[in-house]
């Protein structure tokens, strides 16, 4: 008899229920979504898990749960519910930890099960090599090994560029953690794709070296992925997107802070965490330039007489 994937259905049902509670109550969603400040300053580490059971809307929830339904049951039926749940939760936490590191200097909020789903997808690619991944309604499947490389490369590029209202860092972290968790459970599966696995492992090491050497590689304003982006209703969708991009690109000060101010804020946070000696030469020069700028502004605005000028 074919066994049912009870763990997979349990995750889907629990995610749908918690997401529904978040749809009804904004305060409930606010309490459990991903928020680096709350995790780091207020020690609310439970958010590294609970954010994955909340979603932005019904479409966001449906997309993640359908993806989980396609790839999760086969892993659970062959390797058991314990391994399925371990891979899923590890990927969700791993995606949250990478997002926490990347956005530790940002006012950033996010939610969604994408990190866990990406982990299950990459575990599937490792454990069942030689298959194809079908993207939306494309009639031709993409080889799973090629899909994995393009997915990881695209996620890093999109994360660095800050494109779209998507948590690319959670996708990237969840995919890598899911892959390595599955490999830890079944190291013999690596021999079927040794060069592919070695390449991803080397790329992961280089990724973390790059982020450690460039802690300010993502100087973004406050990002809130828990809110829908409003679109003007009178323009076609593609035209309004182009117009919005041109207006944002050409106007200064659209975000809450300018880029230099965000960099200075990140530098000050770095000083509070690691001390002044941890700054690079470029960071010290930027801090000095900013200090001189505000000092000159204070002198210029200070009236020389007793009358306001």
């Amino acid at each position: 008899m074919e066994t049912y994937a009870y763990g997979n259905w349990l995750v889907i049902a629990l995610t749908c229920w918690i997401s529904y509670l978040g749809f009804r109550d904004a305060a409930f969603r606010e309490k459990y979504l991903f928020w680096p400040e709350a995790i780091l300053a207020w020690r609310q580490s439970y958010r590294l898990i609970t954010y994955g059971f909340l979603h932005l809307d019904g479409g966001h929830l449906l997309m993640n749960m359908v993806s989980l339904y396609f790839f999760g049951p086969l892993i659970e039926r062959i390797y058991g519910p314990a391994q399925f749940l371990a891979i899923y939760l590890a990927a969700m936490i791993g995606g949250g930890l990478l997002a926490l590191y990347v956005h530790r200097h940002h006012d950033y909020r996010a939610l969604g099960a994408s990190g866990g789903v990406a982990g299950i997808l990459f575990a599937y690619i490792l454990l069942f090599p030689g298959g194809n991944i079908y993207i939306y309604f494309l009639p031709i499947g993409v080889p799973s090994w090629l899909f994995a490389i393009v997915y990881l490369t695209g996620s890093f590029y999109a994360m660095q560029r800050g494109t779209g209202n998507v948590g690319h860092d959670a996708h990237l972290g969840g995919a890598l953690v899911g892959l390595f968790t599955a490999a830890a459970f079944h190291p013999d599966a690596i021999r079927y794709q040794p060069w592919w696995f070695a390449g991803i492992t080397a790329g992961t090491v280089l990724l973390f070296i790059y982020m450690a050497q460039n802690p300010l590689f993502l100087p973004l304003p406050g990002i809130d992925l828990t809110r829908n982006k409003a679109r003007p209703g009178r323009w076609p969708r593609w035209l309004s997107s182009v117009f919005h991009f041109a207006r944002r690109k050409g106007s200064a000060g659209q975000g809450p802070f300018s880029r230099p101010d965000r960099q200075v804020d990140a530098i000050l946070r770095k000083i509070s965490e690691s001390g002044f000696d941890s700054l690079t030469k470029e960071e010290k020069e930027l801090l000095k330039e900013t200090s001189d700028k505000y000092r000159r502004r204070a002198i210029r605005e200070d009236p020389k007489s007793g009358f306001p000028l």
Side-chain angles (χ1 to χ4, degrees):
M1 294 181 63
E2 183 179 4
T3 59
Y4 290 97
Y6 294 108
N8 189 82
W9 284 110
L10 176 63
V11 169
I12 291 177
L14 187 61
T15 303
C16 290
W17 172 246
I18 296 177
S19 295
Y20 172 72
L21 296 178
F23 297 157
R24 294 186 58 187
D25 187 354
F28 176 86
R29 187 174 68 173
E30 187 76 14
K31 182 178 179 181
Y32 294 106
L33 55 78
F34 181 84
W35 186 13
E37 182 178 347
I39 296 172
L40 296 174
W42 306 336
R43 307 301 182 187
Q44 295 178 355
S45 55
Y46 62 83
R47 291 176 182 264
L48 290 171
I49 296 179
T50 56
Y51 83 96
F53 293 93
L54 295 166
H55 286 80
L56 179 62
D57 50 35
H60 186 207
L61 173 64
L62 179 64
M63 181 178 61
N64 277 331
M65 294 302 99
V66 168
S67 300
L68 184 62
Y69 173 78
F70 282 150
F71 297 101
L74 185 58
I75 295 177
E76 182 177 355
R77 286 169 183 159
I78 295 180
Y79 299 106
Q83 288 193 22
F84 164 77
L85 292 174
I87 294 172
Y88 184 77
L89 294 177
M92 187 182 297
I93 295 173
L97 288 174
L98 181 61
L100 182 65
Y101 178 80
V102 170
H103 297 288
R104 65 194 185 280
H105 300 315
H106 303 144
D107 185 12
Y108 178 83
R109 301 186 184 192
L111 41 71
S114 302
V117 173
I120 291 295
L121 172 60
F122 272 67
Y124 173 88
I125 293 173
L126 175 70
L127 299 175
F128 305 99
N132 292 329
I133 303 295
Y134 288 85
I135 305 173
Y136 296 107
F137 299 104
L138 291 180
I140 301 176
V142 180
S144 57
W145 63 269
L146 178 60
F147 173 85
I149 294 174
V150 173
Y151 183 94
L152 294 175
T153 305
S155 294
F156 174 73
Y157 176 80
M159 176 184 69
Q160 192 177 31
R161 300 283 295 179
T163 58
N165 192 39
V166 180
H168 299 287
D169 32 54
H171 294 181
L172 181 61
L176 292 174
V177 171
L179 173 66
F180 293 132
T181 303
F185 282 131
H186 304 282
D188 56 317
I190 300 175
R191 62 190 176 95
Y192 295 105
Q193 305 180 87
W195 294 109
W196 173 81
F197 186 83
I200 291 181
T201 302
T204 302
V205 173
L206 293 176
L207 168 66
F208 284 102
I209 292 176
Y210 171 79
M211 291 193 299
Q213 295 294 324
N214 301 275
L216 303 179
F217 81 102
L218 196 64
L220 297 173
I223 309 170
D224 191 349
L225 302 182
T226 67
R227 299 183 183 276
N228 286 311
K229 301 296 184 182
R231 293 190 181 94
R234 49 182 300 192
W235 299 96
R237 183 173 180 178
W238 67 271
L239 184 59
S240 63
S241 299
V242 172
F243 175 74
H244 176 70
F245 173 78
R247 181 176 58 184
R248 183 181 59 184
K249 189 79 172 178
S251 58
Q254 286 289 329
F257 302 102
S258 65
R259 177 166 178 164
D261 288 339
R262 295 195 300 269
Q263 291 178 320
V264 171
D265 182 64
I267 291 173
L268 294 177
R269 288 176 180 266
K270 184 178 179 182
I271 293 175
S272 66
E273 294 174 358
S274 307
F276 183 80
D277 293 336
S278 64
L279 298 181
T280 64
K281 180 180 178 181
E282 292 77 11
E283 292 169 346
K284 292 178 181 178
E285 290 178 353
L286 176 60
L287 194 62
K288 184 178 183 302
E289 290 175 2
T290 306
S291 176
D292 292 341
K293 180 185 71 174
Y294 282 104
R295 186 181 298 110
R296 289 192 300 269
R297 181 180 300 176
I299 295 174
R300 186 169 61 248
E301 293 177 353
D302 184 22
K304 300 303 180 182
S305 67
F307 298 97
L309 300 179

